[in-house]
Amino acid sequence: MLKRREAIKDVGRETSMFFVRCVVALVIVVGLMGFLIAREFKLQVIDHKKYRTQSENNRIRVQPVAPVRGLIYDQTGKLLAQNRSIFALEIVPEQVGDMEDTIERLRDFFQIPDERIEKFLEQVKFRPKFNSYAIKSNLTEEEVAIFSANQHFFPGVSVEARLERYYPYGATLVHVLGRMGAITQEELVRMDEKDLEANREVGVTRLRYAATSKIGKLGLERYYEDRLHGEVGSEKVETDVRGRIVRVLEREEPQAGQDIHLYLHLGLQQKITELMNELGARGAVVAVDPSTGGVLAMVSQPAYDPNMFTGGISSKDYKKLLTPERPLYNRAVQGTYPPASTIKPHLAFIGLKDGVITPNTRIADPGWFSLPNNDHRYRDWKRWGHGATVDVMQAIVESCDTFFYDLSVRLGINRIHEGMTRFGFGQKTGIDIVEEKIGIMPSREWKRAARGEPWYNGDTVNIGIGQGFWTVTPLQLANATAVLANDGIRYNLQLVKEFSQDNRYQSNTPVMSYHQINTGDGSWLDLVKESMKKVAEPPRGTARSAFADAEYVVAGKTGTAQVKSIAQDEEYDATKIAEEFHDNALFIGYAPFEQPKIALAVMMENAGGGGSNAAPLAREIMDYYLLEALKPEQSDELTNDEENSDGATN
């Protein structure tokens, strides 16, 4: 049996099969080793650059660096808007595992209100997850210490030192400077699209707002956002496995925004604010330099502190600003009011220029005016009139309504509209603030479009004393006053005098308006200006009491605007109507008469008579500016004149 088995076994065949198996196994092993070597060669040699780049990207991150915002100065070099260091609690979303849990624990540590958390989540929703976003600003030293001791519990969260906008003069300048606020998704998209469009032209792909969370919302901050913001920089940083920065490898410095220097005089702005606060006045005052159109002061009262908004204002604090006094409302550029008698000098000039009246034209003044074939009487503020007959100079000095009722009808609305447009009414003044309104300079076409009605002669009569449909802003009134002071030359109003960056200055050259005034030989304008001078003089000027014993000569015009219509047979009695229906008090003027350095418009809501309320305020403003604020300048001029004189003698 054993021999039969041995006979069956084929040793040679088995040996051959074993050899084949060994060869196959060797081929497989060699093949696998070859594949591994080839793969390693491909990874280490052929694809070395590709995978090195991917590896570097996991370890190295390029992040944007926000630029320093430009500063704002007044004409004397005082800093009005600055950047101050604060500590902010910031989160990098891509480094946070559970955002909801992280925020919930941070809320317990720092008492973060729900609305702030909602705003934070809305902010990061559509923005890059690798950027850092503040969930709470203005941390106290105690809060910084608490977080530092517990930071290891909060991956992706850190305390960072940041620069934040700060307004040292608070509410005094808010309606000039405006304010900052968190950038919205709509604003970010608009800015990014704008940058991408500009970048295509220069071959750059960097977005200026990649590292910015705040943007100018109002005033100069908004109008000059492009200049103030600056250019974003970048940092190439090495990070660890948790995403924390280990070191900075490269840095491209951001370019700071441009600084802005204003025509505005801080002392004058503060003085006007102080005077209006003492009076408890609501309204606006605008003062300009007639020779340039530079705005010396622009006050709207009441006001608010813009610093409340910089770090994010709560709903509770915001509601406190929604009062009937409307501190958020910029009355200087957005408030529209009937100009009342302040436009009588301009109307007189148009009448003289168009030959409708002459310096010798006189009209009867019984204390009222009526249209032909109409028994309605348009009353003068002085019931018994200003004398048997009145000429144009007396009409301006005493503010005779009857004369201007008659003049407006003689002129007609077409000529009034065309002439007043040249003085800037119904138009923007050119001021470098986006929020400016244009008011209403009515015309036949305007009434047909706005009211669907034809124009009546009675409408024209009301226009003659600055009432009816006509509304203006205090800014327009100041501008029109400056045109008179500047002998008919009209400039666009400007807040910014020059820009600077790296000790290089760029002047914001005064711009003459498209519309200018044809003053002829100057005699018409001279008569109007002389009449305005007598407004501030005895015996009958409506502002004589306010400017008694002034150390300079002023030209002006008072105005009292009705807020509520009064029936023909009814007497106005402020004690019997609500304060909100009391007359508005107005005054326009300029000084010194021969070489004007300031032209202004005062508008006080529901304050009563212009001569008794607005003119005294204007007197104190002019006293401060001409007798105090300009003294150093006048002393310097005197010193220079003396030095030049001494030099010439020697």
Side-chain angles (χ1 to χ4, degrees):
M1 204 59 177
L2 183 61
K3 287 182 179 180
R4 284 182 70 183
R5 289 179 181 172
E6 288 177 355
I8 294 172
K9 185 177 182 181
D10 188 343
V11 177
R13 186 164 173 246
E14 289 182 355
T15 301
S16 176
M17 185 179 295
F18 177 77
F19 178 76
V20 170
R21 288 175 179 174
C22 287
V23 171
V24 170
L26 180 62
V27 169
I28 292 174
V29 170
V30 171
L32 289 173
M33 289 183 64
F35 175 78
L36 290 174
I37 291 171
R39 181 63 177 166
E40 185 71 12
F41 179 80
K42 186 176 187 301
L43 291 173
Q44 295 292 339
V45 179
I46 297 176
D47 292 337
H48 170 76
K49 186 175 182 180
K50 171 184 174 183
Y51 289 106
R52 177 183 173 85
T53 300
Q54 290 182 2
S55 176
E56 289 293 320
N57 288 341
N58 290 332
R59 182 176 65 91
I60 296 172
R61 186 172 75 233
V62 178
Q63 59 186 20
V65 179
V68 176
R69 194 170 181 84
L71 308 178
I72 303 178
Y73 299 88
D74 87 329
Q75 63 167 262
T76 65
K78 292 185 175 66
L79 188 57
L80 309 180
Q82 63 188 63
N83 305 307
R84 66 174 181 177
S85 294
I86 63 161
F87 288 106
L89 187 67
E90 303 202 354
I91 299 178
V92 180
E94 72 171 3
Q95 297 176 12
V96 177
D98 188 335
M99 180 67 78
E100 185 176 336
D101 176 67
T102 298
I103 290 178
E104 196 62 37
R105 288 185 292 124
L106 288 174
R107 185 209 307 265
D108 296 336
F109 268 104
F110 297 101
Q111 302 300 312
I112 304 173
D114 291 341
E115 62 179 307
R116 177 67 195 115
I117 292 174
E118 290 174 7
K119 288 181 180 178
F120 169 80
L121 292 174
E122 184 66 25
Q123 181 185 17
V124 303
K125 187 176 181 180
F126 300 103
R127 302 195 69 182
K129 304 302 180 186
F130 53 79
N131 281 351
S132 180
Y133 304 97
I135 192 170
K136 184 173 183 179
S137 300
N138 294 315
L139 297 181
T140 64
E141 293 183 2
E142 181 181 358
E143 288 174 325
V144 173
I146 291 173
F147 181 78
S148 298
N150 295 275
Q151 186 170 2
H152 57 284
F153 293 122
F154 298 96
V157 185
S158 62
V159 169
E160 302 291 341
R162 298 292 187 200
L163 290 177
E164 187 171 78
R165 203 58 155 180
Y166 178 67
Y167 305 97
Y169 299 100
T172 300
L173 291 163
V174 63
H175 291 301
V176 176
L177 304 180
R179 61 175 174 82
M180 301 288 292
I183 189 168
T184 64
Q185 176 62 19
E186 292 77 11
E187 289 169 332
L188 184 64
V189 169
R190 186 177 71 248
M191 291 298 180
D192 285 352
E193 288 176 349
K194 182 179 177 181
D195 288 340
L196 288 171
E197 182 65 30
N199 290 338
R200 273 194 284 269
E201 299 177 6
V202 296
V204 180
T205 58
R206 183 175 300 159
L207 299 177
R208 296 175 69 206
Y209 285 80
T212 302
S213 61
K214 303 290 174 62
I215 194 171
K217 296 289 187 178
L218 295 170
L220 289 172
E221 293 281 21
R222 178 180 176 184
Y223 192 91
Y224 289 108
E225 173 65 31
D226 282 350
R227 288 182 178 268
L228 288 166
H229 180 266
E231 299 296 333
V232 67
S234 64
E235 273 187 345
K236 183 181 287 187
V237 297
E238 183 179 357
T239 60
D240 61 16
V241 292
R242 289 191 171 185
R244 292 177 296 194
I245 296 174
V246 176
R247 59 177 174 149
V248 177
L249 302 176
E250 293 180 19
R251 180 179 173 90
E252 181 182 344
E253 294 295 337
Q255 181 181 333
Q258 296 180 30
D259 294 338
I260 290 178
H261 306 261
L262 308 183
Y263 285 100
L264 185 136
H265 189 287
L266 175 61
L268 180 61
Q269 183 86 5
Q270 290 176 312
K271 183 65 174 179
I272 297 172
T273 303
E274 176 189 333
L275 292 170
M276 293 188 75
N277 284 336
E278 288 175 357
L279 294 170
R282 295 190 313 275
V285 176
V286 178
V288 304
D289 180 349
S291 64
T292 63
V295 177
L296 302 173
M298 192 176 78
V299 177
S300 173
Q301 285 293 109
Y304 64 97
D305 186 355
N307 294 306
M308 299 169 62
F309 287 84
T310 305
I313 189 171
S314 67
S315 297
K316 182 180 179 181
D317 288 337
Y318 186 75
K319 287 178 181 177
K320 291 179 181 178
L321 299 176
L322 303 179
T323 64
E325 288 74 26
R326 298 189 295 172
L328 296 171
Y329 185 54
N330 187 346
R331 288 164 165 82
V333 299
Q334 294 176 299
T336 54
Y337 310 90
S341 297
T342 58
I343 51 78
K344 288 176 179 176
H346 307 82
L347 197 63
F349 172 80
I350 295 170
L352 290 165
K353 179 181 74 69
D354 288 0
V356 173
I357 58 172
T358 71
N360 299 318
T361 298
R362 304 187 71 88
I363 68 156
D365 181 18
W368 50 268
F369 171 84
S370 63
L371 291 165
N373 304 317
N374 191 319
D375 60 358
H376 180 81
R377 292 184 175 183
Y378 297 89
R379 299 177 303 176
D380 193 293
W381 67 269
K382 197 172 186 179
R383 290 184 60 188
W384 51 88
H386 299 265
T389 59
V390 178
D391 64 11
V392 63
M393 178 174 283
Q394 183 184 353
I396 294 174
V397 173
E398 299 183 30
S399 198
C400 175
D401 291 340
T402 307
F403 185 94
F404 288 96
Y405 289 143
D406 180 81
L407 175 58
S408 64
V409 174
R410 292 194 195 192
L411 280 168
I413 188 59
N414 291 345
R415 280 193 287 201
I416 293 174
H417 180 270
E418 194 278 334
M420 288 300 180
T421 298
R422 291 192 171 275
F423 278 105
F425 295 111
Q427 300 177 333
K428 290 193 174 183
T429 64
I431 189 75
D432 27 8
I433 288 182
V434 176
E435 304 91 72
E436 182 183 11
K437 289 187 177 180
I438 64 172
I440 299 172
M441 184 64 248
S443 64
R444 296 180 187 278
E445 293 73 22
W446 170 84
K447 190 180 180 188
R448 193 175 295 110
R451 302 293 181 97
E453 299 175 356
W455 187 268
Y456 300 108
N457 282 339
D459 298 329
T460 306
V461 175
N462 286 326
I463 294 299
I465 60 166
Q467 295 278 177
F469 302 119
W470 194 354
T471 60
V472 304
T473 65
L475 204 66
Q476 289 173 333
L477 272 181
N479 189 31
T481 306
V483 174
L484 295 176
N486 206 31
D487 293 329
I489 298 174
R490 177 181 158 196
Y491 285 100
N492 288 342
L493 296 189
Q494 293 183 162
L495 282 162
V496 174
K497 186 176 184 180
E498 58 186 358
F499 307 94
S500 67
Q501 190 171 41
D502 299 328
N503 293 320
R504 297 191 304 271
Y505 287 80
Q506 176 190 351
S507 176
N508 194 25
T509 307
V511 178
M512 292 182 66
S513 171
Y514 175 78
H515 291 290
Q516 295 296 316
I517 306 297
N518 175 17
T519 59
D521 63 2
S523 60
W524 308 317
L525 189 58
D526 288 343
L527 174 61
V528 169
K529 292 170 68 174
E530 187 66 26
S531 302
M532 292 178 68
K533 180 164 76 73
K534 291 182 179 296
V535 167
E537 296 176 349
R540 295 187 176 181
T542 54
R544 61 187 182 278
S545 298
F547 288 92
D549 304 321
E551 297 181 33
Y552 47 87
V553 179
V554 63
K557 183 70 191 76
T558 58
T560 304
Q562 279 188 355
V563 176
K564 182 181 180 182
S565 298
I566 299 175
Q568 181 170 333
D569 300 327
E570 189 179 345
E571 286 292 328
Y572 173 80
D573 186 349
T575 63
K576 295 181 180 179
I577 59 177
E579 182 183 348
E580 62 182 298
F581 298 121
H582 288 186
D583 293 343
N584 292 339
L586 299 97
F587 179 84
I588 63 168
Y590 62 88
F593 182 73
E594 294 297 338
Q595 293 182 318
K597 295 183 181 296
I598 182 174
L600 58 75
V602 176
M603 201 295 302
M604 301 171 67
E605 292 181 1
N606 313 122
S612 56
N613 294 285
L617 175 58
R619 164 68 186 274
E620 292 195 71
I621 294 169
M622 288 183 171
D623 279 355
Y624 170 80
Y625 188 68
L626 298 175
L627 305 180
E628 294 184 43
L630 293 185
K631 269 188 176 180
E633 177 184 315
Q634 292 166 351
S635 298
D636 290 342
E637 290 177 358
L638 180 60
T639 302
N640 291 334
D641 289 343
E642 290 174 347
E643 289 176 353
N644 293 337
S645 175
D646 291 342
T649 302
N650 292 335

